[in-house]
Amino acid sequence: MSGIAAIIYWDSQAVDESAVRRMLASIPHRSPDGSNSASGKNCSMGFARLSTTLRERTAVQPLHDEQSGIWLVGDLRLDNREDLHEELLGK
């Protein structure tokens, strides 16, 4: 199982990305395949990677969609991705 760290302020307060990096550093057993972090205006997210498939090794997290402003980080399996994508787009 990989690890996830996040700080989100619902007001406009800025987030210190180094705090998320420290959280990730505290779980080295969850990140033998590396870790990433990213920050936006009021959130910072991190992902400690424990890959079990080729797809997981090449995926980049946290994800950020600039057009919608959505941030996403997760250790999950998502079935029917294409169906969900279509549903979210309203097609």
Side-chain angles (χ1 to χ4, degrees):
M1 179 179 282
S2 298
I4 298 169
I7 299 172
I8 301 169
Y9 293 124
W10 299 108
D11 57 17
S12 59
Q13 184 177 350
V15 176
D16 179 11
E17 185 176 347
S18 66
V20 167
R21 285 194 218 116
R22 287 192 305 274
M23 286 187 246
L24 293 173
S26 73
I27 53 171
H29 59 288
R30 297 282 182 214
S31 59
D33 300 312
S35 62
N36 291 334
S37 61
S39 291
K41 185 172 129 184
N42 62 337
C43 73
S44 184
M45 296 181 174
F47 185 70
R49 183 179 319 284
L50 176 64
S51 301
T52 58
T53 67
L54 179 59
R55 181 179 222 163
E56 290 172 346
R57 287 185 200 109
T58 59
V60 177
Q61 287 197 60
L63 300 171
H64 179 231
D65 182 76
E66 291 188 28
Q67 184 177 2
S68 66
I70 293 174
W71 286 83
L72 177 69
V73 64
D75 185 21
L76 58 110
R77 175 182 165 165
L78 184 58
D79 294 320
N80 299 325
R81 291 167 36 138
E82 293 81 15
D83 296 338
L84 178 60
H85 183 257
E86 290 178 14
E87 185 71 27
L88 290 171
L89 291 176
K91 294 182 178 180

